[in-house]
């Protein structure tokens, strides 16, 4: 997914010499970008706070700057530089974060990113997106070039099946209905999109009319789309992020204000640093974020709410 | 060596005196803090704005203009009257400082039309932003120079040293940092809180061309800043030895004037001294 994004960025950078890619000494896949646009690539060293400050200065000088690192180092180490340098000045700087959720599983909690969406979406002027497949990554990459203001792009695992058939409807700030049903709605973001698709297909096979939404943009949240699913009996958000303040938090805030009367549940990670040690798949299993475990979490409510009726 | 005429130096001194009077007026009226820090940098600002910076208040957005960043944003009560005097806005606007619905807060917000290029207030951010601007200027082959005024206490922030490494690695000789070295920070003297010495050697070892001078001596500052870069291919730093509270005898080198606002008697006495 990152590779797809950078490929598109490279094509844009070849034509637009004001595009810059900064990295805090991470990203072994920048070879083509460096080869084609050597003067527009800067490895700033392992110094993320300075990277964000530099990006702010460069953007004040009309440069279009992309900053790359692993999410905790990109978003949390220099949080105040992001707040003052990027958000207060409302600058055209894009933060490209690798390793959403447990993508860096065995690297441990320092590399896990379970709080980033909550933190980034609380910053005024910041847009927060998490592409769910390659087509979303591609479309967001293209749109990011002329996007105004700071943008945070959260990448999950690299290998993700395509869920969309084409990219025509993919636009920052607009969620996408992938399947339309009328009993329960699943709203997924980023790395959970493919699992949510499997869940959706399975529930449909069981006779439950299921809506699936890809909410690749968490801020600004597509409230109009949420208004369209208020008649569903139940709404579930699915994300590889803490249930505090991420997609689930954002949707919960909206549903309460819209006076939603059905069942609402956030499916995500609990408020803790992983007490398990293992790969991405292992940790997702342990924290009930595999398609099977998500289905179980949803069907737990079937007896009370009878999703088939 | 550029020798400014006696007349020019006197002009700078008179401007500085006027600025100090305006600062104390404004702070006294609003009961605000940071008088000592503001007095400390007045002469540096007068030198920059009236002798060095290539800027045009009538055309504040002019391409390739020099950029000044007040990284120690809390000393902004000194900058607002400088900008007014330079012609960015009317003196009348200075009354709109640190009151409800005001134009000017106690830390600067970016407003290029009024001469404020970068929002600051949280310490340790200005040098990286300055390095980014300087890097972009090099890339654009612009003659722009970027000046960043840092506090000495501010150098405790590690981000400065990340920027210091970067600027010399990338040969940003269009970046000029000035340290307002008044040797006092909020809770004590710099050497007691977190010592910086040997400060010049630190910057030299980071690859910066360093000059030390008296931050209240216009001739020294004009001489130093009239020949930039100090050395081709190296970022520039001036360690300006200053006096917190400079200009009013009973405020000089007194820690309390970082935050204290003068009472009526102190205000009168200060104005007398400045007149």
């Amino acid at each position: 997914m990152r590779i797809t994004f950078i490929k598109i960025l490279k094509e844009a950078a070849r034509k637009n010499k004001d595009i810059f890619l900064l990295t805090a000494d991470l990203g072994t896949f920048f070879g083509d970008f460096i080869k084609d646009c050597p003067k527009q690539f800067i490895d700033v060293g392992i110094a993320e706070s300075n990277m964000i400050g530099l990006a702010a200065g460069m953007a004040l000088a009309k440069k279009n700057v992309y900053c790359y690192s692993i999410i905790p180092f990109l978003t949390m180490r220099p949080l105040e530089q992001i707040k003052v340098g990027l958000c207060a000045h409302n600058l055209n700087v894009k933060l490209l974060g690798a390793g959403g959720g447990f993508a860096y599983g065995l690297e441990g909690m320092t590399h896990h990113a379970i709080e980033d969406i909550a933190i980034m979406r609380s910053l005024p002027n910041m847009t927060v997106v998490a592409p769910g497949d390659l087509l979303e990554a591609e479309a967001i990459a293209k749109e990011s070039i002329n996007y105004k203001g700071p943008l945070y792009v959260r990448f999950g695992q690299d290998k993700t099946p395509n869920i969309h058939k084409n990219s025509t409807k993919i636009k920052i700030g607009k969620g996408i209905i992938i399947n339309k049903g009328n009993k329960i709605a699943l709203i997924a973001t980023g790395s959970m999109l493919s699992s949510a698709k499997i869940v959706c297909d399975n529930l449909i096979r069981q006779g439950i009319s299921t809506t699936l939404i890809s909410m690749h943009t968490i801020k600004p949240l597509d409230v109009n789309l949420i208004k369209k699913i208020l008649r569903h009996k139940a709404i579930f958000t699915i994300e590889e992020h803490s249930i505090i303040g991420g997609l689930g938090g954002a949707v919960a805030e909206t549903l309460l204000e819209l006076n939603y009367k059905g069942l609402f549940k956030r499916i995500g990670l609990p408020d803790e640093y992983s007490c398990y040690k293992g790969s991405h798949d292992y940790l997702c299993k342990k924290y009930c974020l595999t398609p099977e475990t998500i289905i179980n979490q949803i069907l737990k409510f079937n007896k009370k709410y009878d999703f088939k009726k | 060596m550029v020798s400014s005429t006696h007349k020019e130096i006197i002009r700078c001194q008179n401007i500085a005196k006027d600025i100090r009077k305006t600062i104390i007026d404004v702070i006294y009226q609003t009961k605000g803090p940071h008088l000592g820090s503001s007095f400390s940098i007045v002469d540096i600002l007068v030198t920059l704005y009236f002798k060095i910076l290539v800027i045009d208040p009538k055309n504040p957005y002019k391409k390739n203009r020099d950029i000044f960043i007040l990284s120690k944003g809390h000393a902004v009560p000194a900058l607002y009257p400088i900008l007014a005097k330079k012609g960015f806005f009317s003196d009348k606007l200075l009354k709109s400082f640190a009151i409800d619905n005001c134009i000017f807060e106690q830390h600067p917000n970016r407003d290029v039309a009024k001469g404020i290029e970068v929002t600051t207030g949280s310490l340790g951010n200005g040098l990286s932003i300055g390095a980014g601007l300087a890097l972009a200027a090099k890339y654009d082959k612009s003659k722009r120079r970027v000046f960043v005024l840092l506090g000495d206490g501010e150098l405790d922030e590690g981000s400065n040293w990340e920027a210091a490494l970067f600027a010399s690695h990338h040969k940003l000789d269009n970046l000029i940092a000035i340290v307002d070295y008044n040797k006092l920070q909020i809770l004590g003297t710099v050497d007691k809180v977190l010592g910086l010495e040997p400060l010049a050697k630190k910057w030299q070892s980071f690859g910066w061309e360093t000059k030390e001078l008296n931050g209240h001596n216009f001739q020294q500052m004009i001489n130093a800043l009239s020949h930039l870069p100090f050395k081709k291919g190296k970022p520039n730093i001036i360690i300006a030895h200053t006096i917190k509270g400079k200009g009013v005898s009973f405020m000089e080198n007194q820690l309390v004037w970082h935050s204290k606002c003068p009472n009526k008697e102190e205000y009168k006495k200060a104005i007398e001294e400045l007149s």
Side-chain angles (χ1 to χ4, degrees):
Chain A
M1 208 179 276
R2 295 172 289 177
I3 295 163
T4 304
F5 194 105
I6 296 299
K7 210 169 158 182
I8 288 173
L9 185 62
K10 182 199 76 176
E11 291 310 319
R14 284 173 62 175
K15 292 174 212 145
N16 179 349
K17 295 297 172 193
D18 281 333
I19 291 175
F20 278 80
L21 175 59
L22 271 53
T23 174
D25 204 37
L26 284 169
T28 50
F29 54 93
F30 292 138
D32 285 347
F33 189 101
I34 297 167
K35 199 174 137 216
D36 287 8
C37 312
K39 289 185 177 166
Q40 292 157 270
F41 176 84
I42 305 168
D43 180 350
V44 305
I46 309 162
E48 297 81 8
S49 301
N50 187 46
M51 175 165 72
I52 301 301
L54 290 169
M58 294 170 78
L60 286 170
K62 313 281 182 218
K63 304 300 170 207
N64 189 353
V65 190
Y66 289 72
C67 297
Y68 174 85
S69 190
I70 294 176
I71 292 169
F73 322 143
L74 177 74
T75 61
M76 295 173 219
R77 171 74 59 100
L79 179 58
E80 202 214 16
Q81 277 87 355
I82 295 173
K83 170 192 164 179
V84 181
L86 307 187
C87 294
H89 289 106
N90 198 17
L91 294 176
N92 297 334
V93 174
K94 289 88 181 182
L95 303 176
L96 309 180
F102 292 139
Y104 285 108
L106 275 162
E107 305 273 353
M109 67 73 61
T110 54
H111 287 54
H112 297 165
I114 63 166
E115 330 85 327
D116 53 306
I117 295 176
I119 294 168
M120 288 294 107
R121 90 177 176 89
S122 69
L123 294 166
N125 291 331
M126 180 65 83
T127 296
V128 179
V129 298
D133 73 355
L134 290 180
L135 288 166
E136 287 189 5
E138 205 175 293
I140 289 167
K142 283 178 187 161
E143 200 180 341
S144 74
I145 309 290
N146 294 314
Y147 197 77
K148 297 287 173 219
L151 170 70
Y152 170 50
V153 185
R154 182 196 213 234
F155 295 111
Q157 284 223 300
D158 284 332
K159 285 179 187 165
T160 311
N162 269 344
I163 302 301
H164 298 283
K165 291 186 180 70
N166 58 60
S167 58
T168 49
K169 283 186 187 167
I170 305 168
K171 199 167 164 21
I172 294 173
K174 299 279 173 204
I176 301 160
I177 295 178
I178 289 170
N179 193 72
K180 208 170 180 179
N182 57 30
K183 296 299 178 204
I184 73 169
L186 311 177
I187 306 176
T189 194
S191 56
M192 281 292 112
L193 182 62
S194 60
S195 295
K197 178 73 167 68
I198 297 169
V199 172
C200 176
D201 292 345
N202 184 295
L203 294 173
I204 290 167
R205 278 199 299 277
Q206 293 192 43
I208 299 171
S209 176
T210 305
T211 293
L212 173 62
I213 289 173
S214 172
M215 199 65 92
H216 50 71
T217 305
I218 297 127
K219 185 190 171 189
L221 193 68
D222 190 350
V223 175
N224 285 333
L225 184 57
I226 291 176
K227 282 180 183 166
K228 290 180 186 165
I229 57 168
L230 294 177
R231 287 170 182 269
H232 287 61
K233 278 185 165 183
I235 298 172
F236 298 88
T237 52
I238 308 171
E239 63 191 313
E240 198 177 329
H241 182 276
S242 166
I243 54 168
I244 296 176
L247 171 71
V251 172
E253 292 158 14
T254 305
L255 287 178
L256 200 59
E257 287 186 344
L258 291 172
N259 208 18
Y260 177 62
K261 300 291 186 202
L263 168 72
F264 172 69
K265 284 283 164 193
R266 297 165 297 167
I267 296 174
L269 300 169
D271 182 26
E272 67 182 37
Y273 292 112
S274 175
C275 57
Y276 304 107
K277 294 172 177 65
S279 64
H280 174 261
D281 290 354
Y282 176 82
L283 293 176
C284 281
K285 202 170 172 182
K286 283 297 197 186
Y287 279 107
C288 301
L289 283 182
T290 60
E292 300 74 31
T293 49
I294 294 170
I295 291 166
N296 291 341
Q297 289 185 71
I298 292 170
L299 291 181
K300 240 179 17 193
F301 298 98
N302 191 34
K303 204 172 172 188
K304 188 173 172 192
Y305 289 87
D306 196 358
F307 296 142
K308 290 180 190 172
K309 260 194 183 171
Chain B
M1 168 104 37
V2 177
S3 186
S4 291
T5 63
H6 183 63
K7 211 172 148 190
E8 283 175 282
I9 301 292
I10 298 287
R11 182 176 168 250
C12 286
Q13 286 168 344
N14 287 336
I15 294 173
K17 205 177 260 187
D18 283 351
I19 297 294
R20 284 193 170 88
K21 276 193 270 186
T22 310
I23 294 169
I24 201 164
D25 270 349
V26 170
I27 288 189
Y28 176 67
Q29 278 157 25
T30 58
K31 306 284 174 240
H34 304 141
L35 190 55
S37 318
S38 301
F39 276 7
S40 181
I41 65 165
V42 167
D43 302 316
I44 297 169
L45 293 185
V46 170
T47 305
L48 286 172
Y49 276 88
F50 293 93
K51 295 299 290 178
I52 303 298
L53 291 175
V54 180
I55 49 173
D56 180 2
K58 290 193 184 106
N59 190 2
Y61 293 93
K62 197 172 180 181
K63 211 180 162 192
N64 299 328
R65 68 190 181 278
D66 284 346
I67 302 275
F68 172 73
I69 300 172
L70 183 63
S71 194
K72 51 172 296 180
H74 58 279
V76 77
L79 182 60
Y80 297 140
I82 291 267
L83 294 172
K85 190 132 199 132
K86 188 77 185 164
F88 279 97
F89 48 82
S90 140
D91 277 348
K92 285 179 194 162
L93 286 196
L94 292 172
K95 287 184 180 152
S96 185
F97 167 73
I99 51 172
D100 287 346
N101 199 27
C102 60
I103 294 169
F104 301 117
E105 289 180 300
Q106 284 169 346
H107 294 94
N109 289 305
R110 177 173 160 85
D111 186 343
V112 178
K114 292 192 180 66
I116 301 167
E117 299 279 358
V118 175
T119 296
T120 55
S122 54
L123 298 173
N125 291 335
L127 196 57
S128 293
I129 295 175
L133 279 155
L135 186 81
K138 285 272 175 199
Y139 181 81
D140 289 338
K141 296 188 170 41
S142 155
K143 286 190 175 165
R144 162 175 287 172
R145 302 168 305 168
V146 184
F147 297 77
V148 182
L149 182 52
L150 302 159
D152 47 9
E154 180 179 15
L155 294 181
D156 299 350
E157 297 280 3
S159 50
N160 288 302
W161 302 99
E162 292 182 9
L165 279 174
F166 183 90
S168 62
H169 183 86
H170 288 271
K171 301 182 171 50
L172 301 180
D173 60 8
N174 53 349
L175 178 64
I176 304 99
I178 302 170
V179 180
D180 170 30
Y181 199 9
N182 60 33
K183 328 261 182 331
L184 290 175
Q185 53 192 107
I186 295 182
L187 294 184
T189 59
V190 166
D191 62 347
K192 284 208 175 130
V193 175
L194 193 58
L196 294 172
E197 289 298 336
L199 185 57
K201 280 188 183 166
K202 282 192 175 75
W203 285 97
Q204 282 158 12
S205 72
F206 272 72
W208 288 57
E209 194 63 21
T210 308
K211 286 195 180 185
E212 280 194 79
L213 47 71
N214 177 347
H216 304 301
N217 183 315
F218 290 107
Q219 185 71 64
Q220 284 184 19
M221 288 191 280
I222 294 165
N223 286 346
L225 288 163
S226 295
H227 297 286
L228 291 168
F230 298 156
K231 194 169 184 186
K232 201 171 167 23
K234 289 178 88 176
N236 317 273
I237 185 155
I238 289 178
I239 295 169
H241 294 275
T242 53
I243 294 168
K244 198 155 187 158
K246 171 75 179 174
V248 176
S249 60
F250 62 91
M251 293 180 180
E252 289 188 357
N253 285 322
Q254 298 302 311
L255 192 60
V256 67
W257 291 102
H258 180 92
S259 315
K260 195 185 168 191
C261 181
N263 59 31
K264 198 174 175 184
E265 209 170 290
E266 289 162 335
Y267 168 73
K268 274 187 178 173
K269 213 172 149 195
I271 290 290
E272 268 170 35
E273 280 195 30
L274 290 168
S275 304

